[in-house]
Amino acid sequence: MTPIKNRGFHGGYRFRNFEASPLDKLAAAGVPSKVTISLMQGFSDEVACLVQPGVQVKAGQIIGRDDERVSSPVHASVNGKVVKIEKLEYLGSEVAAVTISSDGTDGWQALQGYSARWDSLTAEQIETLIYLSGASGAGRSGIPTRFKSSIISCDDVEEVIIHGVESEMYGPLSGALLTGDCLSKFADGVKILRKMLPKAGFHVAMNAERESLIAGVSDALSGNDWVEVCGLQSRYPADYDEVLVSTVLGRSVPAGHLAAHIGVIVLDIRDVLSVYEAVVEGKPVIERTVALCGPGFTENPHVRVRIGTPLEHVIGGNLRADKAWRFLRNSALTGERFLEMTQTIDRNCDAVIAVHENDGREMFAFVQPGPRKDSYTPTFLSAILGGKLTKRGETNLHGEERPCISCGFCEEVCPAGLIPHHLFHYVERNIIDETLLRFKIYDCIDCNLCAYVCPSKITLGRHIKSGKDKLINEGLTCPRPPFALKGTGTQKD
Amino acid sequence: MKAVRSLLDKLYTVPQLARFKPVIGAADAILYGTNETTHAAPHVVDNIDIKRYMSLVIVALLPAVAAAFFLFGWRVIAIIMVSYMAGGAVEVIFAIIRKHDIHEGFLITGLIFPLVLPPTTPLWVVAVGVVFGTMFGKEMFGGTGRNIFNPALVGRLFITIAFPAIMTMNWQTPFASGPEAITTATPLTTFKSTAQTSTINPSVVEAGTEQVLFTNAGAVKKATQNPQSEFAGVQVYCMGDAAYEKAAHHRRIEEGKASRLVSYGDLLIGKEPGSMGETCRLAILAGGLLLIGLRVSNWRIPVSYMTTVFIFAAVGSHFLPAKIAPPMFQVLAGGLLFGAMFMATDPITSPFTKAGKYIFGISCGVLTVLIRSFSGYVEGVMFSIVIMNAFTPLIDQMVLMFKYRPVKA
Ligand code: SF4
Ligand code: SF4
């Protein structure tokens, strides 16, 4: 068994026991009648479209690929016919999206050259399979292959961090992703990656509290001295790349840059399972496991859905009708809203959250003991009794916006060690100059925890983000660190 | 309750009341909470708000209020009501002029202010003080969050300077009424005047000495053990119960000539004269510790403030016993505990940096002892906090300049 190390970081907050957290249960959403697949998935550039409306496609067939830009291929996720190609809004920009109407069959076309005996494959063959399957488009900077799938090359990779850390209020459970034979598939996936990146050190990070899971992972990987298993505290935002790099490796990501720039690749459990499926089963990334979280759902399973599935198909009949719900993508703290039920699941979606759109008033809310109200401060019963009570997931502001009273909560929780209210005062008064750089605004990792805890209901995170944007407009970009960064030649800028 | 709800909804629509929207809104928000939701990420937010935050400070002040009521009677309630009404009126007027919501801060100012007043303060002086404090301590700077000085302290200082006779001459002995209950002396004044006329901690009591003051039990022991001491006809004052016990039962000190200048036990439970909310130190401690436990106030300032007073007084009274009172007395007497727990910790007017908080606390401590010992005033807590309030932005700036190196962009 590989030794387990437990590590923490400064600041952060542990969200405990929110109502309707996802269950340790895996279900399949089935094949939808129609999918809309964006040609830009995750961090990568938009790829060139290889199909026209009217053509028949098979699930797993590559419909978009661009070998000139940093990207990974995009696949059809169902068998059927391309009905339309149009520009759609995707995370703030206009991107082409392919709509395919499905014939209802659930088969898929396998990749060429995969092998159940993966150890007989060469590193080169593995790289090709990972690229062609689209699994290389993982994380915030991709898995490097001989194709342009990441901003850095294979030789640049010094460390690989694979994490199954749960720290969000609502998010997928690692236990659900690693049930049954998934655990051994995961272990093989890690070994496959090692074969491809023989010089890199591997680190698998899980929540320290999930003792049996961490022991299982540790067992499955035992006997390999190149991999270390570590337990992390489940305090938010323990699963952010910047925080993982500092807790797991003791290094720091230079402000405003990516972990890849210092040669670190950060992946999650699903990314590794995709690698396994691509190499051993020849299966391209046409599915994604999504956790359905929050009180809006009658049940909270993890579901396997085809990429491009509209939200309405994912939810199906699993919605409670008694209240109004707000649907969120991936995170209640940083996620975007799903505005329409026709919006689709993409490769980077790992949770759909439905919280109560609570615009109801509550009598004497500010003096109630609050057994079901989450708070960072021990001024609520729920915080005093710790994890035993379930907290409500709802969108009420719970108070009015007020001027900052310098209570210091935002500073206490900031994982980047910043003084958010101080930065806010500058941005609010529109003082956009070197002072912001001096107070390390670029160290902010946009976790939004400061805005979560603020009793004055100030949206600190958004102000700080706009401060960064304004600085960039002024030409005051984040200074380069005094050492060479990897992969900056191929970066988008 | 439906009737109240519909009444409020109706009030919003009355055109003549449009200017009073802040008042209606405040009543609404207090009764019914908010119906606002988050606009964007974070979509779910913490349940704490300023109302709860501020109301916990009030909860923490309740023991002190209860003690004040118990010690000084109904007058306390009258003073608090006047303070709330006058302070509230100023807040409402400014909310209407500035067209913003009514901010909850005045609920604290309006309660802290009366608690630092002598129980005999005339009601009109209370009103003048709180109005001055809110206007010039807060609103002139742009309202809550921008004020440099603690508004309650500004009001208190104003009336101390404007009406010195009222503010320093009339103190009421707890549990007493009638003219003889009014005294001119708080323990701090008593120490100052006694120290001026006595020989302090003599190791030998010379014959012909009229009056000696022992500030601790050790000094009593030393003087009584010295065979050359001559106690006949000497009036012996003792600070603290331990010193008094030693002197009262000592065979060399004449019967009835030993007296206790101050009892630390009495100070703790509030049996000595002082400002209404400042006398019962136990109640203050209970409230202050509650706030620190709930993380509504930070421990750094009160701890560094009181530790500094203690250490400075311990060293100082060793070398200058006639000027600087002994440490235990300094910590328990006057408004120190209340000031350190409830006024120096005001987050708006004290530094937000950690190092700044220590600097603030230590400076307040040094200033308090200096003012108490070497100035014409007997109490220095308010002055030191107000002085340090003025330095707060500077302290924070210095700490930040030190912590964050300038960057070349
Ligand atoms: S949490 Fe809010 S009120 Fe408190 S210091 Fe930060 S910004 Fe100010
Ligand atoms: S959003 Fe930025 S400033 Fe706020 S807590 Fe997170 S890292 Fe700190």
Side-chain angles (χ1 to χ4, degrees):
Chain A
M1 192 165 134
T2 17
I4 299 165
K5 299 181 187 168
N6 291 341
R7 290 162 193 162
F9 62 98
H10 172 83
Y13 173 57
R14 183 161 177 200
F15 294 105
R16 287 167 199 256
N17 230 353
F18 271 76
E19 64 180 334
S21 290
L23 305 170
D24 228 344
K25 189 178 146 190
L26 204 57
V31 180
S33 61
K34 196 177 81 177
V35 293
T36 301
I37 301 163
S38 166
L39 289 179
M40 187 171 110
Q41 296 279 346
F43 81 95
S44 78
D45 287 345
E46 185 178 346
V47 293
C49 185
L50 303 181
V51 291
Q52 296 85 39
V55 301
Q56 290 288 332
V57 288
K58 284 214 144 35
Q61 177 184 334
I62 293 178
I63 56 168
R65 174 171 175 174
D66 197 330
D67 285 355
E68 297 309 310
R69 304 163 82 179
V70 177
S71 63
S72 293
V74 174
H75 307 76
S77 58
V78 290
N79 300 316
K81 196 166 88 178
V82 176
V83 287
K84 107 183 129 179
I85 298 169
E86 60 184 338
K87 289 272 182 192
L88 284 182
E89 153 109 23
Y90 178 75
L91 300 181
S93 51
E94 294 263 295
V95 178
V98 177
T99 304
I100 304 168
S101 84
S102 148
D103 62 10
T105 55
D106 65 356
W108 43 268
Q109 170 187 317
L111 297 167
Q112 297 273 304
Y114 72 92
S115 166
R117 291 191 51 242
W118 61 267
D119 35 0
S120 65
L121 298 173
T122 63
E124 206 162 309
Q125 286 168 315
I126 291 175
E127 274 179 45
T128 310
L129 280 166
I130 290 180
Y131 175 72
L132 290 178
S133 70
S136 54
R140 272 169 72 184
S141 47
I143 303 174
T145 57
R146 64 198 60 242
F147 306 91
K148 267 193 169 179
S149 59
S150 167
I151 59 166
I152 57 172
S153 72
C154 290
D155 293 337
D156 287 333
V157 181
E158 292 168 14
E159 312 280 353
V160 178
I161 299 175
I162 297 157
H163 79 90
V165 180
E166 305 147 21
S167 77
E168 288 264 1
M169 180 185 309
Y170 286 119
L173 288 181
S174 300
L177 302 174
L178 291 178
T179 44
D181 59 352
C182 285
L183 184 59
S184 68
K185 287 184 183 177
F186 172 76
D188 279 349
V190 177
K191 290 173 197 161
I192 292 169
L193 281 169
R194 164 73 179 183
K195 180 150 187 185
M196 200 180 106
L197 304 164
K199 282 180 296 188
F202 280 71
H203 310 264
V204 178
M206 300 274 167
N207 285 86
E209 292 84 9
R210 301 242 183 264
E211 280 167 22
S212 57
L213 185 65
I214 212 168
V217 169
S218 187
D219 271 344
L221 290 169
S222 61
N224 299 297
D225 58 359
W226 45 266
V227 57
E228 153 196 73
V229 179
C230 45
L232 301 186
Q233 297 172 355
S234 47
R235 256 180 311 133
Y236 181 82
D239 53 343
Y240 272 53
D241 287 12
E242 292 85 350
V243 180
L244 283 169
V245 168
S246 77
T247 46
V248 173
L249 303 176
R251 297 172 64 180
S252 62
V253 178
H257 291 84
L258 296 168
H261 288 130
I262 55 168
V264 181
I265 299 287
V266 181
L267 303 173
D268 67 16
I269 293 176
R270 265 162 310 197
D271 301 332
V272 175
L273 290 174
S274 302
V275 164
Y276 174 88
E277 286 170 358
V279 176
V280 179
E281 297 168 359
K283 184 174 182 180
V285 183
I286 56 167
E287 282 183 330
R288 187 76 182 164
T289 306
V290 174
L292 300 185
C293 323
F297 300 109
T298 38
E299 250 201 318
N300 298 94
H302 293 69
V303 286
R304 269 186 85 74
V305 298
R306 296 289 168 104
I307 306 277
T309 304
L311 191 60
E312 53 197 353
H313 180 85
V314 179
I315 297 171
N318 185 10
L319 193 66
R320 286 173 41 175
D322 53 344
K323 284 176 187 160
W325 309 106
R326 184 188 291 189
F327 295 96
L328 305 171
R329 182 181 181 274
N330 287 358
S331 163
L333 271 100
T334 57
E336 300 279 328
R337 266 189 231 210
F338 282 108
L339 292 170
E340 286 158 54
M341 296 301 261
T342 51
Q343 277 178 288
T344 57
I345 303 296
D346 66 4
R347 268 187 205 164
N348 289 76
C349 186
D350 56 17
V352 175
I353 301 162
V355 286
H356 179 197
E357 186 72 80
N358 183 9
D359 56 0
R361 290 167 174 276
E362 193 183 357
M363 282 298 268
F364 294 116
F366 72 106
V367 285
Q368 295 198 358
R372 301 196 59 207
K373 298 178 170 186
D374 184 61
S375 180
Y376 164 71
T377 56
T379 57
F380 286 84
L381 203 57
S382 66
I384 297 167
L385 295 181
K388 289 178 201 69
L389 304 161
T390 12
K391 281 83 165 199
R392 268 180 281 201
E394 37 116 330
T395 60
N396 195 282
L397 204 53
H398 310 300
E400 290 81 19
E401 263 191 55
R402 287 287 181 261
C404 168
I405 54 160
S406 313
C407 67
F409 293 163
C410 52
E411 181 186 352
E412 277 171 40
V413 296
C414 178
L418 304 178
I419 308 179
H421 66 93
H422 188 232
L423 291 168
F424 160 75
H425 286 305
Y426 283 98
V427 177
E428 192 199 23
R429 286 183 228 141
N430 222 1
I431 305 173
I432 307 290
D433 56 16
E434 283 85 3
T435 335
L436 286 178
L437 288 185
R438 178 171 192 170
F439 297 124
K440 300 196 170 166
I441 192 167
Y442 282 113
D443 279 12
C444 169
I445 58 172
D446 298 324
C447 70
N448 256 342
L449 195 54
C450 46
Y452 181 82
V453 299
C454 177
S456 289
K457 309 294 169 191
I458 300 171
T459 51
L460 292 156
R462 256 182 278 160
H463 279 96
I464 293 172
K465 206 168 187 163
S466 83
K468 285 193 272 190
D469 293 345
K470 286 180 186 167
L471 271 181
I472 291 170
N473 276 343
E474 302 259 306
L476 287 168
T477 46
C478 183
R480 290 263 163 99
F483 47 85
L485 293 173
K486 297 173 195 290
T488 38
T490 52
Q491 216 183 339
K492 273 196 239 174
D493 66 28
Chain B
M1 280 335 280
K2 274 229 177 75
V4 181
R5 177 73 262 165
S6 60
L7 174 69
L8 277 168
D9 288 338
K10 240 186 234 126
L11 286 180
Y12 277 116
T13 60
V14 179
Q16 288 87 340
L17 291 180
R19 321 175 99 235
F20 293 96
K21 215 170 144 238
V23 186
I24 306 168
D28 196 4
I30 287 173
L31 279 173
Y32 289 101
T34 182
N35 58 355
E36 274 185 77
T37 55
T38 52
H39 299 297
H43 298 275
V44 179
V45 291
D46 199 309
N47 278 276
I48 187 132
D49 67 342
I50 292 294
K51 282 196 179 57
R52 193 177 187 93
Y53 190 94
M54 301 275 185
S55 54
L56 281 163
V57 179
I58 293 176
V59 169
L61 284 168
L62 286 183
V65 173
F69 176 67
F70 190 63
L71 295 171
F72 303 110
W74 284 102
R75 195 174 165 74
V76 173
I77 307 297
I79 291 180
I80 291 174
M81 299 228 319
V82 168
S83 162
Y84 265 142
M85 285 191 292
V90 177
E91 176 67 39
V92 167
I93 291 168
F94 274 90
I96 290 173
I97 295 175
R98 295 220 174 94
K99 297 194 171 54
H100 65 50
D101 289 0
I102 290 179
H103 291 165
E104 292 77 5
F106 85 93
L107 292 174
I108 297 183
T109 309
L111 187 55
I112 286 191
F113 177 72
L115 291 181
V116 297
L117 297 178
T120 51
T121 315
L123 295 181
W124 66 270
V125 176
V126 176
V128 169
V130 77
V131 168
F132 186 92
T134 333
M135 295 239 294
F136 294 90
K138 190 169 79 177
E139 302 299 350
M140 286 298 141
F141 292 94
T144 313
R146 305 194 182 177
N147 48 319
I148 295 179
F149 299 105
N150 186 322
L153 276 178
V154 172
R156 176 67 164 93
L157 275 186
F158 173 70
I159 57 175
T160 309
I161 295 163
F163 314 110
I166 300 171
M167 301 313 293
T168 51
M169 302 312 287
N170 301 307
W171 298 93
Q172 188 183 344
T173 315
F175 298 118
S177 54
E180 63 282 10
I182 305 300
T183 137
T184 54
T186 63
L188 283 171
T189 350
T190 318
F191 171 79
K192 224 170 184 165
S193 52
T194 317
Q196 272 164 10
T197 52
S198 316
T199 320
I200 320 256
N201 293 346
S203 50
V204 186
V205 181
E206 313 270 352
T209 313
E210 279 177 20
Q211 198 175 315
V212 291
L213 171 64
F214 291 113
T215 61
N216 56 52
V220 181
K221 193 171 170 196
K222 212 162 156 200
T224 46
Q225 275 177 351
N226 195 317
Q228 277 143 33
S229 287
E230 186 48 71
F231 277 100
V234 180
Q235 175 68 36
V236 178
Y237 288 112
C238 302
M239 300 195 71
D241 301 289
Y244 173 72
E245 288 306 319
K246 254 209 153 60
H249 303 297
H250 202 280
R251 56 184 165 76
R252 296 183 62 184
I253 298 173
E254 269 180 47
E255 185 97 15
K257 278 288 187 187
S259 76
R260 178 162 46 189
L261 201 61
V262 59
S263 148
Y264 298 153
D266 284 355
L267 272 180
L268 214 51
I269 59 172
K271 274 165 72 182
E272 300 279 350
S275 296
M276 301 191 318
E278 289 175 353
T279 48
C280 181
R281 275 87 192 172
L282 277 181
I284 297 166
L285 265 180
L289 291 179
L290 175 77
L291 282 192
I292 290 174
L294 293 176
R295 282 196 276 163
V296 168
S297 68
N298 192 290
W299 57 271
R300 288 190 175 84
I301 289 176
V303 168
S304 58
Y305 191 171
M306 294 196 290
T307 315
T308 307
V309 168
F310 190 89
I311 294 174
F312 190 13
V315 176
S317 72
H318 184 77
F319 292 107
L320 273 178
K323 287 279 181 200
I324 300 177
M328 213 43 214
F329 176 69
Q330 296 254 19
V331 169
L332 288 176
L336 179 68
L337 217 46
F338 191 84
M341 288 291 193
F342 290 104
M343 294 194 287
T345 49
D346 171 17
I348 299 172
T349 57
S350 61
F352 58 81
T353 52
K354 284 191 193 100
K357 285 187 162 74
Y358 291 122
I359 297 175
F360 184 92
I362 293 170
S363 313
C364 278
V366 171
L367 281 176
T368 301
V369 176
L370 287 180
I371 295 173
R372 277 180 176 180
S373 313
F374 301 106
S375 79
Y377 289 94
V378 284
E379 178 54 305
V381 171
M382 289 181 302
F383 285 110
S384 359
I385 298 177
V386 166
I387 292 170
M388 291 320 292
N389 281 167
F391 282 105
T392 291
L394 190 69
I395 295 175
D396 273 336
Q397 279 306 311
M398 271 166 35
V399 171
L400 289 173
M401 290 302 134
F402 196 73
K403 194 173 158 195
Y404 294 96
R405 300 269 146 224
V407 250
K408 281 189 211 80

